[in-house]
Amino acid sequence: MATLDIRITSMYPPGSQGGTRAYASATIDGCFAVRGIKVVEGGKDGLFVSMPSRKNQDGYKEVCFPVTAEFREQLYSGVLNLSLIHISEPTRHSL
């Protein structure tokens, strides 16, 4: 299991930035960093994680992404859990 250092870098109230509620960064095993991870509010499904992406002629393509299902679950749940803590207790956590 990879060691993750996840940080919420920005928070937004509902509706102020479209569906984006937060931005996060993650450092994996102390040797690879990913910035620009978004926590997005999506209708009936609630919050979900969106990896950094670029627009091309066919839509959007993720720039980086978890390769295995196990790491995807570890990363996404870590980002979502930390963002929920920040959303529920915004005054207790500095950004």
Side-chain angles (χ1 to χ4, degrees):
M1 182 176 284
T3 302
L4 291 175
D5 178 18
I6 299 170
R7 297 171 190 257
I8 302 298
T9 56
S10 301
M11 297 285 300
Y12 303 100
S16 67
Q17 294 289 322
T20 302
R21 293 297 308 275
Y23 279 93
S25 63
T27 303
I28 304 156
D29 284 337
C31 61
F32 187 78
V34 179
R35 302 195 193 297
I37 301 169
K38 287 196 277 187
V39 176
V40 180
E41 192 158 19
K44 65 179 176 128
D45 296 330
L47 297 174
F48 66 92
V49 174
S50 175
M51 295 299 287
S53 61
R54 289 189 163 216
K55 187 174 184 177
N56 64 19
Q57 62 191 20
D58 298 325
Y60 287 90
K61 286 282 196 186
E62 289 182 335
V63 176
C64 57
F65 51 89
V67 176
T68 65
E70 294 84 13
F71 183 68
R72 180 181 306 110
E73 176 62 28
Q74 181 185 1
L75 178 62
Y76 286 13
S77 64
V79 170
L80 283 175
N81 290 339
L82 189 57
S83 69
L84 288 171
I85 290 169
H86 280 277
I87 289 169
S88 65
E89 301 177 15
T91 58
R92 292 195 47 183
H93 305 279
S94 60
L95 298 178

